[in-house]
Amino acid sequence: MEAAADQGVPGGNGEAPTLPPPLPLGVRLQVGGLTVAIDAVERRDGTVNRCLYSVIDRLLSARANPRPDSSGVRSYDFTVDASRGIWARVFAPVAAAAPLPVIVYYHGGGFALFSPAIGPFNGVCRRFCSQIGAVVVSVNYRLAPEHRYPAAYDDGVDALRFIDDAGAVPGLGDDVPVDLSSCFLAGESAGGNIVHHVANRWAAEHQASAKSVRLAGIFPVQPYFGGEERTGSELRLEGVAPVVNLQRSDFSWKAFLPVGATRDHPAAHVTDENAELAEAFPPTMVVVGGFDPLQDWQRRYADVLRRKGKKVQVAEYPDGFHGFYGFPELPDAGKVLQEMKAFVESNRTAP
């Protein structure tokens, strides 16, 4: 699916936005609770109230469960580097008749919040496993501002190296064979930003010498990019769209980027001709929502990939707010997974 032009897209450059479509009550309550929690723990000086955050984290977290759920998905955790607090949660079926592709997932949270255990991310990974037909490895990376750029990228690459060195998904067992030559990266929001940078570093520095992991494609889902410029969608959707606003965006960049850096830092600003892309950068499917204030940055990102000769597909969801695919009650959430499944099937290594 090709990118839609900014004209005619809610919040794009062509028109003032209408109000987002009404959301189911349960989704409204979850989104409202999430934004209240974020605003409660993020301080204006770019730090996080970790004491309060720890309480919220415990309330929102789900334990790994080795017993399969109603969709046949089980989960367990393994350690990547205890000294840095890097671990991962695996989501897998009980058994598989043929090797499954692997999706390595990086959660959102503005680089400063959350973990693979948080309920919505836990749920997304379960649906990846059951509906796409993949083993999912959800990575816990170090959080800003205690660990600024490039810590999250380092941790993301090291998790891939750990899997590559093992030649398998640790702890999985022979009943669920995997195809590490069909490895995909996925993540939403800040996780989508991490997906891009991890993929680029892997392609430039590790792919040629990797023992078993081959990046077959990536899914930056509503990725978190930015710059000093205020784009048309950011301005028009301010105070209209849920979840993301200028204050929260500015906090995230202030917390994550090096002290004194502007939002035009290469970690954030991957949307013009100075973006450096490895020759082996993998095929990409970018998901864009029409009520996401970051949509202009995301379309520019896709355009840069295309102009630099990379294979890119843009999946547009005109009614989608930032993070919409994490709510299975929304029809578009299911449609995203269908498109992701088709992308996996068309880009994985042939059996």
Side-chain angles (χ1 to χ4, degrees):
M1 184 184 301
E2 292 298 318
D6 286 341
Q7 279 74 19
V9 176
N13 291 335
E15 60 180 46
T18 57
L19 291 175
L23 297 174
L25 176 60
V27 174
R28 294 205 307 273
L29 292 174
Q30 291 179 71
V31 170
L34 177 66
T35 53
V36 167
I38 291 171
D39 291 341
V41 300
E42 293 183 346
R43 300 184 176 118
R44 291 185 178 181
D45 63 359
T47 63
V48 174
N49 183 336
R50 291 294 177 196
C51 182
L52 178 57
Y53 171 75
S54 67
V55 175
I56 295 171
D57 181 73
R58 286 195 298 272
L59 291 173
L60 296 179
S61 292
R63 293 181 180 273
N65 188 353
R67 300 181 63 180
D69 62 14
S70 60
S71 64
V73 177
R74 59 192 173 97
S75 61
Y76 65 88
D77 299 339
F78 70 84
T79 300
V80 175
D81 185 342
S83 68
R84 289 186 287 164
I86 308 174
W87 56 274
R89 177 162 294 180
V90 177
F91 300 82
V94 174
L100 298 177
V102 174
I103 297 176
V104 179
Y105 173 82
Y106 304 96
H107 64 81
F111 305 102
L113 304 174
F114 306 137
S115 80
I118 295 295
F121 304 133
N122 195 74
V124 163
C125 290
R126 286 184 177 277
R127 293 190 291 278
F128 280 175
C129 179
S130 64
Q131 297 182 38
I132 296 176
V135 169
V136 182
V137 181
S138 181
V139 177
N140 186 69
Y141 53 86
R142 290 171 293 171
L143 299 177
E146 295 85 355
H147 304 282
R148 294 177 177 269
Y149 164 90
Y153 305 159
D154 293 342
D155 297 352
V157 170
D158 287 348
L160 278 183
R161 293 177 62 194
F162 189 85
I163 294 170
D164 186 58
D165 288 342
V169 175
L172 194 54
D174 295 336
D175 289 338
V176 185
V178 296
D179 176 13
L180 291 177
S181 69
S182 296
C183 184
F184 296 79
L185 307 185
E188 76 287 302
S189 193
N193 176 293
I194 294 169
V195 160
H196 166 81
H197 287 285
V198 168
N200 202 32
R201 282 177 52 176
W202 184 265
E205 302 170 15
H206 301 286
Q207 187 62 83
S209 60
K211 301 173 185 176
S212 51
V213 169
R214 181 188 75 90
L215 291 189
I218 64 172
F219 297 102
V221 179
Q222 300 180 278
Y224 206 79
F225 297 124
E228 284 298 294
E229 175 193 353
R230 301 300 194 187
T231 66
S233 61
E234 286 178 307
L235 293 173
R236 274 185 287 273
L237 288 168
E238 180 71 3
V240 175
V243 184
V244 169
N245 60 25
L246 293 175
Q247 177 181 315
R248 295 185 191 118
S249 290
D250 290 352
F251 170 89
S252 296
W253 294 125
K254 183 176 182 179
F256 178 65
L257 295 176
V259 174
T262 72
R263 295 187 301 274
D264 287 335
H265 187 278
H269 202 59
V270 193
T271 52
D272 56 27
E273 291 304 320
N274 67 4
E276 296 184 3
L277 295 174
E279 181 153 345
F281 192 84
T284 303
M285 175 178 153
V286 185
V287 176
V288 178
F291 281 94
D292 183 354
L294 303 178
Q295 63 186 274
D296 285 353
W297 294 116
Q298 295 155 5
R299 292 194 189 93
R300 292 182 191 180
Y301 169 66
D303 286 343
V304 166
L305 296 184
R306 190 177 292 111
R307 290 198 303 272
K308 289 180 177 283
K310 308 306 178 184
K311 182 179 178 182
V312 59
Q313 170 183 336
V314 179
E316 292 270 2
Y317 293 87
D319 291 341
F321 61 88
H322 192 79
F324 74 95
Y325 93 131
F327 298 91
E329 304 93 327
L330 302 177
D332 280 349
K335 294 176 184 177
V336 172
L337 293 185
Q338 291 172 11
E339 291 208 58
M340 293 176 75
K341 179 179 177 68
F343 184 89
V344 167
E345 291 175 346
S346 64
N347 287 283
R348 67 172 300 186
T349 302

